[in-house]
Amino acid sequence: MEILMPEPQIYVERTLAIIKPDVIDKEEEIENLILRSGFHIIQKRKLQLSPEQCSNFYAEQFGKVFFPNLTAYMSSGPIVAMVLARNCAVSYWKELLGPSNSLRARITHPHSLRALYGTDELRNGLHGSLSISSAEKEIRFMFPEAVLEPLPTGQRARDYLNLYVKPTLLAGLTALCKEKPADPLIWLADWLIEHNPNKPKLQYHISQ
């Protein structure tokens, strides 16, 4: 009996994360938690939004009673905006954040980021995109230079694997055989990260 194997696919999804003004001093600590949770930070910038920019970013919330306080809060100091990438990035980041109300998060999701770093319903410490479409929109807002291309599938995916992934993996495995490290998995992982031909450049700049 012939066993049909599914065609290889490339799973890459991005979402927007924001460290809000009142927890900006916890930036390094929060970023470490993000990385330990399996995300890659592929773009990052530190900036301070004007009230008008905050109004545009949260335009879908316009008219709600908390809207003026929200824009005042988000424009009260610097923020750190990050593009996070991993498989199912949007849903995993939402799960890591927990409920938007930090007071409720402490009861229902005590280990979530908003339970740990948020203060109340409004000042919840961190932002996350609600869907893939909102993530694309928000990433373009915070990173106007970002290029969000459709994910490769079918022959394009196979071409990508043959052109970039397989040669790099083969070179890494060859180097692994020559090096013979004590912990081959960790060594190979570090080697692949270091020699990734498409390793994104971390963008970090401050704009006022």
Side-chain angles (χ1 to χ4, degrees), residues 64-134:
K64 295 185 178 179
V65 65
F66 59 81
F67 185 77
N69 289 336
L70 175 63
T71 56
Y73 163 50
M74 289 299 294
S75 61
S76 64
I79 63 172
V80 174
M82 294 173 285
V83 179
L84 308 184
R86 64 159 291 169
N87 185 30
C88 301
V90 172
S91 59
Y92 274 112
W93 180 236
K94 286 166 61 179
E95 182 179 350
L96 190 61
L97 285 176
S100 59
N101 185 332
S102 296
L103 299 177
R104 185 180 301 117
R106 291 193 185 96
I107 299 171
T108 62
H109 298 73
H111 301 294
S112 66
L113 294 182
R114 284 173 173 156
L116 295 173
Y117 296 102
T119 302
D120 51 35
E121 183 175 3
L122 177 68
R123 294 172 294 169
N124 58 12
L126 297 121
H127 169 85
S129 303
L130 294 177
S131 65
I132 294 176
S133 59
S134 64

Side-chain angles (χ1 to χ4, degrees), residues 19-198:
I19 300 176
K20 297 182 178 181
D22 53 326
V23 292
I24 197 75
D25 59 323
K26 302 291 186 180
E27 175 188 350
E28 184 176 350
E29 182 178 315
I30 292 171
E31 286 182 19
N32 285 336
L33 288 171
I34 290 171
L35 295 173
R36 282 162 45 197
S37 299
F39 292 92
H40 294 281
I41 301 174
I42 61 173
Q43 287 181 288
K44 181 173 75 169
R45 64 183 299 209
K46 189 173 185 178
L47 69 158
Q48 182 159 353
L49 298 175
S50 67
E52 292 75 19
Q53 288 172 318
C54 292
S55 296
N56 291 332
F57 183 77
Y58 288 105
E60 293 181 359
Q61 307 293 337
F62 183 77
K64 295 185 178 179
V65 65
F66 59 81
F67 185 77
N69 289 336
L70 175 63
T71 56
Y73 163 50
M74 289 299 294
S75 61
S76 64
I79 63 172
V80 174
M82 294 173 285
V83 179
L84 308 184
R86 64 159 291 169
N87 185 30
C88 301
V90 172
S91 59
Y92 274 112
W93 180 236
K94 286 166 61 179
E95 182 179 350
L96 190 61
L97 285 176
S100 59
N101 185 332
S102 296
L103 299 177
R104 185 180 301 117
R106 291 193 185 96
I107 299 171
T108 62
H109 298 73
H111 301 294
S112 66
L113 294 182
R114 284 173 173 156
L116 295 173
Y117 296 102
T119 302
D120 51 35
E121 183 175 3
L122 177 68
R123 294 172 294 169
N124 58 12
L126 297 121
H127 169 85
S129 303
L130 294 177
S131 65
I132 294 176
S133 59
S134 64
E136 292 178 354
K137 180 181 176 181
E138 292 174 356
I139 289 171
R140 287 194 180 97
F141 185 96
M142 292 293 177
F143 300 89
E145 74 286 357
V147 177
L148 301 177
E149 298 179 346
L151 301 181
T153 58
Q155 187 58 46
R156 287 186 61 209
R158 289 189 286 273
D159 291 343
Y160 180 90
L161 290 171
N162 290 330
L163 183 61
Y164 296 106
V165 178
K166 291 180 180 178
T168 304
L169 184 58
L170 179 60
L173 292 171
T174 302
L176 176 66
C177 292
K178 292 179 180 178
E179 187 73 20
K180 295 182 175 63
D183 194 334
L185 291 179
I186 297 297
W187 187 94
L188 180 60
D190 291 339
W191 190 97
L192 290 173
I193 291 172
E194 180 64 28
H195 295 83
N196 178 4
N198 292 314

